[in-house]
Amino acid sequence: MKVIVLGAGIVGVSTAWYLLEQGHEVTVVDRQSDAAMETSFANGAQISVSFCEPWANAQAPLKLLKWLTRADSPLLFRPRLDPWQWRWSLAFLSQCSDAAFERNVQQLVALGRYSQESLKSLVAATGIDYHRIERGILHFFSSERDFEAGAAGAELMRRHGVDRRVLSPGQVLEVEPALAAYGPQLAGGTYTPSDESGDARVFTQQLAQRCTLRGARFLFGHAVQALERTGGEISAAHVIDTATQQRRELRADAFVAALGSFTAPLLRPLGVNLNIYPAKGYSATLKLKVPERASVVSMIDDSRKIAISRLGDQVRIAGTAELAGYDTSLDGPTARTRCAALVSRYEELFPGVAHLDEPSFWAGLRPSTPTNIPYIGRSRIANLWLNAGHGTLGWTHGAGSGRALAELISGKRPALDFRFHGQPAPRALGELAASV
Ligand SMILES: Cc1cc2nc3c(=O)[nH]c(=O)nc-3n(C[C@H](O)[C@H](O)[C@H](O)COP(=O)(O)OP(=O)(O)OC[C@H]3O[C@@H](n4cnc5c(N)ncnc54)[C@H](O)[C@@H]3O)c2cc1C
């Protein structure tokens, strides 16, 4: 079958890879000059299967109210005259209960496990090198109250079969001795040894190259303007060459929409209304001055809700979220405050370890759904497939989402207990595994 994948982020490129494995003819279209130039470019680098809780929980509405006025708050809501933002926010509030939280966690853990297993096999088969570190994720707390909440969260995750350990401050330092200078301020931590980290951009770009070697065609520098519907099917993607402004129509048997946050606006005119809204986040990448004193284990600093990951001789500090539309600029006062806060926090935790004079700042739009569960599956249009809305976990879930969608497109049932879009409700996992 001839399949066109729209979008060459981690999700689109993974989908292309697994479609090739299933024997399809694949073309990938992206407006940028290479793969992973938008949200998959400089994220927190964590493969966090076991740290996958969605933002929506019973405590979230109160926290959000408290954070409304703080420019450096972890999650900032900027109300706009945008009905899609309000629709998203209301749906988000409907997920802020213990029951919805547990239901969503179960789905996210299932997809995460499948994805990590897929990533491991893919890396073993291709040998892609992307600064991978398999040393777990350490979540550390600076106040007793937050630590108690973290320990309760660990208990909940253990009920879902996740190995999340509760650590005393001393044990935190055993896992990551580089935190020693901050030791006196540690209240404790939790640790998931099976999680990992690595550079999503490097991985995605290398995977794209391997897709090309296997026969995929990448049409970079082409923006998708619209999808044309004829009868009950998509008949063509209308694209424009961003350099020459030349327009083209691309035809295929099936189309995959993997355009991150931009999937929702592109599909709206077709009556496919996905509840995906961008949540802007920032990262700072710093060169290490004293690499031997820098952390190796990927971390989450709970007090600031930021991720810290080692990428070779650099460190990436990433986090915070703003629900404020599609802007990715770095030059407004809020952006400047947030970027500066990432660097100053790193220096507070690891004094003198990184060069602070030439930080590389970046902002990206998490394609967020109210549940943090992505749309993977068939849309209401028979040959239009969805792989979008991966929110805070697109790197973690990328490989598995690509593999699962490629299997669905090929008429197979992926072996995981997950509610795929437009598919019958999942059966028990054992039954699923037996049927593949
Ligand atoms: C600050 C931050 C930290 C994060 N940290 C982590 C983390 O530690 N772990 C984790 O798992 N996830 C993390 N994420 C989330 C993760 O980065 C995203 O979920 C993931 O990158 C989404 O991938 P994607 O392929 O769906 O989207 P993208 O990478 O954005 O890919 C979509 C592609 O579509 C293309 N496109 C869009 N519109 C058009 C158009 N009209 N025509 C042609 N092409 C188009 C874009 O150029 C882009 O290449 C983080 C995100 C942010 C912002």
Side-chain angles (χ1 to χ4, degrees), residues 377-421:
R378 199 196 283 267
S379 75
R380 55 195 288 187
I381 302 174
N383 67 341
L384 176 60
W385 297 82
L386 309 170
N387 211 348
H390 292 72
T392 60
L393 291 169
W395 174 213
T396 305
H397 291 160
S401 301
R403 179 174 160 204
L405 188 70
E407 287 171 343
L408 289 172
I409 293 174
S410 311
K412 298 176 184 167
R413 188 184 275 272
L416 76 157
D417 189 0
F418 184 80
R419 256 177 280 127
F420 291 105
H421 195 72

Side-chain angles (χ1 to χ4, degrees), residues 32-312:
Q32 300 290 346
S33 57
D34 200 345
M37 297 304 282
E38 297 203 0
T39 316
S40 306
F41 187 79
N43 65 21
Q46 298 188 326
I47 299 288
S48 45
V49 176
S50 312
F51 275 116
C52 61
E53 291 97 314
W55 288 332
N57 61 48
Q59 293 75 40
L62 199 63
K63 276 193 193 156
L64 282 173
L65 265 183
K66 274 202 268 177
W67 287 337
L68 258 181
T69 51
R70 271 180 45 198
D72 63 344
S73 69
L75 183 57
L76 189 65
F77 178 64
R78 289 219 188 278
R80 295 162 63 90
L81 281 175
D82 176 354
W84 302 108
Q85 188 198 43
W86 287 92
R87 175 191 180 222
W88 190 96
S89 305
L90 290 174
F92 177 85
L93 288 176
S94 78
Q95 298 297 319
C96 291
S97 68
D98 289 339
F101 180 78
E102 289 243 9
R103 206 170 49 233
N104 296 333
V105 162
Q106 184 270 321
Q107 293 277 288
L108 294 165
V109 170
L111 183 58
R113 287 212 174 105
Y114 180 77
S115 198
Q116 193 178 28
E117 178 212 311
S118 307
L119 180 70
K120 279 183 197 287
S121 324
L122 197 163
V123 173
T126 57
I128 293 178
D129 180 8
Y130 56 99
H131 296 308
R132 178 185 196 183
I133 295 176
E134 295 172 271
R135 296 267 302 266
I137 293 180
L138 174 64
H139 190 159
F140 64 89
F141 299 87
S142 308
S143 87
E144 282 301 333
R145 214 178 65 175
D146 291 340
F147 177 44
E148 275 165 28
E155 174 58 37
L156 185 150
M157 294 307 280
R158 280 199 295 272
R159 285 209 301 273
H160 290 278
V162 165
D163 179 13
R164 190 185 291 182
R165 304 170 188 177
V166 178
L167 308 183
S168 66
Q171 290 170 318
V172 168
L173 295 179
E174 275 169 31
V175 172
E176 185 43 274
L179 269 171
Y182 193 70
Q185 289 163 77
L186 283 174
T190 62
Y191 179 54
T192 51
S194 58
D195 284 337
E196 42 184 291
S197 60
D199 194 322
R201 176 188 62 80
V202 173
F203 174 84
T204 308
Q205 291 180 347
Q206 290 207 21
L207 187 62
Q209 286 171 16
R210 282 161 174 82
C211 286
T212 307
L213 291 175
R214 291 180 90 178
R217 180 169 157 244
F218 279 80
L219 211 54
F220 287 120
H222 281 75
V224 185
Q225 294 191 304
L227 296 179
E228 183 183 326
R229 184 176 180 169
T230 310
E233 297 220 315
I234 299 298
S235 50
H238 291 250
V239 303
I240 183 165
D241 184 321
T242 54
T244 63
Q245 301 300 303
Q246 202 185 338
R247 290 167 200 277
R248 292 170 67 177
E249 284 176 19
L250 306 174
R251 298 191 180 272
D253 303 309
F255 295 80
V256 175
L259 300 149
S261 296
F262 297 88
T263 312
L266 184 80
L267 302 189
R268 258 174 226 145
L270 300 162
V272 177
N273 287 316
L274 308 182
N275 204 352
I276 300 175
Y277 197 79
K280 183 179 184 181
Y282 300 86
S283 73
T285 306
L286 307 176
K287 272 220 164 80
L288 291 170
K289 199 163 28 178
V290 199
E292 59 281 10
R293 277 180 36 216
S295 53
V296 178
V297 176
S298 188
M299 290 184 284
I300 300 168
D301 173 358
D302 185 78
S303 66
R304 310 298 160 96
K305 309 278 184 262
I306 55 176
I308 301 172
S309 294
R310 176 78 175 263
L311 299 170

Side-chain angles (χ1 to χ4, degrees), residues 307-357:
I308 301 172
S309 294
R310 176 78 175 263
L311 299 170
D313 60 358
Q314 299 188 319
V315 64
R316 168 87 40 81
I317 311 120
T320 78
E322 270 166 62
L323 286 163
Y326 290 80
D327 160 58
T328 53
S329 66
L330 286 169
D331 46 10
T334 307
R336 279 199 294 273
T337 306
R338 288 176 166 246
C339 289
L342 295 174
V343 175
S344 62
R345 180 59 173 171
Y346 186 78
E347 180 62 13
E348 201 181 326
L349 295 168
F350 304 99
V353 167
H355 290 285
L356 308 181
D357 38 355

